[in-house]
Amino acid sequence: MKIYGVTGWKNSGKTGLMERLITHFTAQGLKVSTVKHTHHGVDLERPGTDTHRHRQAGAQEVILASSARVSILHELRDDDEPRLADLIDRLTPCHLVLVEGFKGASHPKVEAHRKATGEDLLARSNNTIHAVASDTPLPDIDAPVFDLNDTDAIATFIARATGLAPRQQTKLANDCFALPPGVTWTPVDDALATLKDRLAPVVATENVAVASATGRILSADHHAARSNPPGANSAVDGYGFAYGSLPQTDPITLPLTDGRSAAGAPFSESVPPSHALRILTGALLPEGVDTIVLQEDVHIEHNQLTFPAGIKPGANARAAGEDVRKGALALPAGHKLRAPDIALLSALGVPDAKVFARLRVGVLSTGDELAEPGTTANPARTYDANRPMLLSLIESWGYASVDLGHIPDDRDALQNALDDAANKTDVILTSGGASAGDEDHVSALLQDTGSLHHWRIAIKPGRPLALAQWKSTPVFGLPGNPVAALVTTLIFARPAFSVLAGGSWLTPQVITLPAAFTKSKKAGRREYLRARLTYDGQVEAFKSEGSGRISGLSWATGLVELPDEAAEIVPGTPVRYLPYSGFGIT
């Protein structure tokens, strides 16, 4: 087992650093145990507990067991305090033991230090402190100095010092894209179910400040650090009193207590029974106040407050924790953070969020016929529309887009591009060359890895979807036609990317609306038509179904999804409309 310590004086920040390091290393798939030296009692030592009574009766060792954990209390009595090495020998084998305290022991340590003065910290610890984590610069220290809150840098230093390499993230099985034997044409729903069942997150986890976590996916459940509201407070500007002390008169008259309670400036004394206190919106309710009357409903004269009888107990008062109680689940793992979620976590006292690293999606275009937009007037060349479209789409989904450029139909160049992509992306999206023709080098090269699977999906528009892995990095091979590329990306890649990024499986938003077009559809394939809403709430389809008509993608505000079965669509027929906004296209 690897051992590393965190030490420091009282209130130096060592426990907070320990907590962050534990989170960091466990997120890497490592098993972490801890040993902490304490100079004070712990909860299990409290007088009156069952374990205390056992020990007081003379038990040498007490084991406290539950369905959640096991605690062992060993009475030293006349024995010496155990050495750190003896304590570590008791632990179940793990990857890393983080030690808090034990300043005089010989294991390597990082010293946590707030508001350091620059004195020689290393000399105080027999050269066992190998680095310092400080809130302030330490120019006189002959050792690495880290910002106390830079968990990643400190963790990297510890990993290198111990020779402990974090375990790789879970990789997909080599045959995860394999279809059952004998399957040729795959219905859309079956293909989606296969992806949903076989995919898993492929990214690491990290901690980020909640304020900058918009669009990130939570890697763990997050609970309220404190209640909201944290204390009982007033919902209005008015006057507060104890309901139970009100006189049985109409109107009600109460003497006013000097002072007031305001938000951020609470009234520190108790309000006597049958008295009232001026209280403002958001102010904590002082002792002796549980009900508030609106200031608009009162009359004040000669320091006497008068208002009509009939107010209800607890009126205009917010109870502590009536929104969310401390410890309650605020947001679950897999949730993608939005601005309202940032407000919730902030209000609940959660400063940092445990999130998945951004999924890095590489986009690669292939084909001799492609050229960068505007670079040539040669009609034999096609401007590359897929790569800018897909890169823009990936960014709008909150992932990190990686432009892998354009590769001609050259096997060696393509192999080099895929090698490079596998090192700097988590998933690769290619367009073109994904079929089985002479110049379909993407398919041919992926076939050499033994992981290529051509999915002949019963979909229109769309050609076989090539799914493979290149050095364990998943590859989605899209058709070269921009219309088919967009449709297959929205229907298949979008939900798959969400799972790979640590999120939930995404299904498109569907609105049933009357058609404003006519179409006779044959059975056998699911069809997606470029469509948009009319001003009267119907759905019209683009004038041409030709997949080469790229203008239809821009003209549309969504897609119409027609079923696998035969269908006759006439004006007024209910159809399934999938708005672009439901795919994150705004």
Side-chain angles (χ1 to χ4, degrees):
M1 296 187 291
K2 309 295 185 180
I3 303 169
Y4 214 91
V6 174
T7 187
W9 301 110
K10 184 178 180 180
N11 298 323
S12 64
K14 60 182 182 296
T15 301
L17 177 57
M18 280 281 292
E19 182 181 22
R20 299 195 302 275
L21 289 173
I22 294 166
T23 299
H24 178 95
F25 285 116
T26 56
Q28 299 297 324
L30 301 176
K31 291 183 179 179
V32 178
S33 296
T34 64
V35 180
K36 175 181 171 63
H37 188 270
T38 180
H39 297 286
H40 48 77
V42 297
D43 288 345
L44 289 174
E45 296 177 340
R46 289 200 313 269
T49 61
D50 292 347
T51 54
H52 180 264
R53 294 169 62 185
H54 290 188
R55 292 184 292 105
Q56 288 293 99
Q60 166 84 10
E61 200 163 62
V62 178
I63 299 178
L64 180 65
S66 73
S67 60
R69 60 190 57 85
V70 175
S71 299
I72 300 177
L73 297 177
H74 184 98
E75 293 297 299
L76 294 178
R77 305 199 189 284
D78 297 328
D79 296 336
D80 293 334
E81 183 175 346
R83 298 178 304 121
L84 176 61
D86 296 331
L87 296 173
I88 291 175
D89 285 343
R90 295 179 176 216
L91 294 174
T92 301
C94 61
H95 297 101
L96 175 64
V97 179
L98 290 174
V99 179
E100 181 177 348
F102 291 93
K103 193 177 190 73
S106 60
H107 64 289
K109 311 172 190 70
V110 170
E111 176 153 351
H113 204 89
R114 292 193 187 281
K115 309 304 180 188
T117 62
E119 61 183 299
D120 189 357
L121 302 175
L122 301 179
R124 299 204 306 258
S125 302
N126 300 321
N127 294 323
T128 61
I129 292 180
H130 292 184
V132 178
S134 174
D135 272 349
T136 57
L138 297 174
D140 300 329
I141 299 300
D142 186 20
V145 177
F146 299 101
D147 186 302
L148 183 59
N149 295 310
D150 193 349
T151 308
D152 287 343
I154 299 170
T156 299
F157 176 81
I158 292 174
R160 289 174 178 170
T162 58
L164 184 67
R167 298 166 73 189
Q168 294 295 316
Q169 291 302 116
T170 301
K171 294 297 184 181
L172 303 178
N174 288 334
D175 61 348
C176 69
F177 295 134
L179 293 173
V183 172
T184 54
W185 283 94
T186 306
V188 170
D189 289 340
D190 291 353
L192 291 172
T194 299
L195 286 176
K196 183 178 180 180
D197 180 62
R198 297 181 183 179
L199 295 179
V202 296
V203 289
T205 59
E206 59 187 358
N207 286 354
V208 299
V210 164
S212 59
T214 303
R216 305 300 293 272
I217 298 173
L218 295 178
S219 61
D221 290 345
H222 283 59
H223 297 81
R226 78 169 186 177
S227 298
N228 185 53
N233 66 89
S234 176
V236 298
D237 290 342
Y239 297 85
F241 45 82
Y243 179 84
S245 68
L246 291 180
Q248 301 299 308
T249 60
D250 189 6
I252 295 171
T253 299
L254 300 175
L256 280 174
T257 298
D258 290 339
R260 70 172 192 173
S261 186
F267 187 70
S268 59
E269 302 174 19
S270 176
V271 177
S274 301
H275 283 64
L277 176 76
R278 175 64 167 158
I279 191 165
L280 304 180
T281 302
L284 291 177
L285 303 188
E287 184 178 351
V289 171
D290 59 20
T291 304
I292 298 121
V293 62
L294 283 164
Q295 65 180 21
E296 295 92 334
D297 296 336
V298 306
H299 175 73
I300 298 176
E301 187 173 357
H302 303 305
N303 209 38
Q304 297 284 313
L305 177 76
T306 302
F307 58 93
I311 191 169
K312 296 180 180 180
N316 302 312
R318 304 186 184 107
E322 70 176 21
D323 179 25
V324 182
R325 290 193 176 276
K326 180 179 179 179
L329 177 65
L331 293 170
H335 183 80
K336 190 171 186 178
L337 294 174
R338 308 158 300 162
D341 305 317
I342 301 302
L344 175 62
L345 292 179
S346 299
L348 297 178
V350 181
D352 298 306
K354 299 177 178 65
V355 299
F356 287 101
R358 289 191 188 275
L359 185 75
R360 299 167 302 170
V361 183
V363 180
L364 177 67
S365 292
T366 68
D368 288 338
E369 75 282 6
L370 294 182
E372 291 300 304
T375 58
T376 178
N378 185 349
R381 304 296 296 278
T382 300
Y383 293 147
D384 185 1
N386 280 353
R387 200 168 86 253
M389 173 181 71
L390 296 173
L391 289 169
S392 173
L393 195 58
I394 290 161
E395 286 290 332
S396 71
W397 289 341
Y399 308 133
S401 64
V402 181
D403 188 351
L404 301 176
H406 161 235
I407 300 299
D409 292 321
D410 180 278
R411 183 77 62 93
D412 292 338
L414 179 58
Q415 181 170 338
N416 291 335
L418 291 175
D419 286 342
D420 179 59
N423 290 328
K424 61 185 181 183
T425 67
D426 301 304
V427 59
I428 303 169
L429 201 59
T430 70
S431 65
S435 294
D438 293 342
E439 295 299 329
D440 290 320
H441 294 288
V442 173
S443 289
L445 196 57
L446 294 175
Q447 186 69 58
D448 291 344
T449 69
S451 66
L452 175 66
H453 299 280
H454 272 123
W455 285 22
R456 299 182 67 198
I457 300 171
I459 184 175
K460 178 182 178 183
R463 298 165 62 188
L465 185 64
L467 294 163
Q469 293 182 74
W470 186 265
K471 296 184 177 180
S472 299
T473 301
V475 180
F476 284 69
L478 304 177
N481 181 287
V483 176
L486 180 64
V487 169
T488 51
T489 298
L490 297 181
I491 302 302
F492 297 103
R494 174 175 174 266
F497 288 177
S498 179
V499 174
L500 295 172
S504 59
W505 180 264
L506 302 178
T507 55
Q509 179 185 14
V510 177
I511 306 172
T512 301
L513 295 171
F517 61 92
T518 299
K519 178 174 173 60
S520 179
K521 179 194 173 296
K522 296 179 180 179
R525 291 198 290 175
R526 185 166 303 181
E527 295 190 22
Y528 292 90
L529 309 179
R530 286 149 285 175
R532 69 180 181 188
L533 296 177
T534 64
Y535 289 107
D536 58 358
Q538 294 183 310
V539 183
E540 60 179 328
F542 188 57
K543 58 186 177 182
S544 171
E545 294 182 20
S547 56
R549 302 289 291 272
I550 302 176
S551 61
L553 293 177
S554 178
W555 172 91
T557 58
L559 303 172
V560 162
E561 181 184 64
L562 300 180
D564 301 352
E565 302 81 16
E568 293 292 333
I569 310 298
V570 296
T573 301
V575 294
R576 289 166 56 88
Y577 174 67
L578 283 55
Y580 275 167
S581 59
F583 292 109
I585 302 175
T586 56

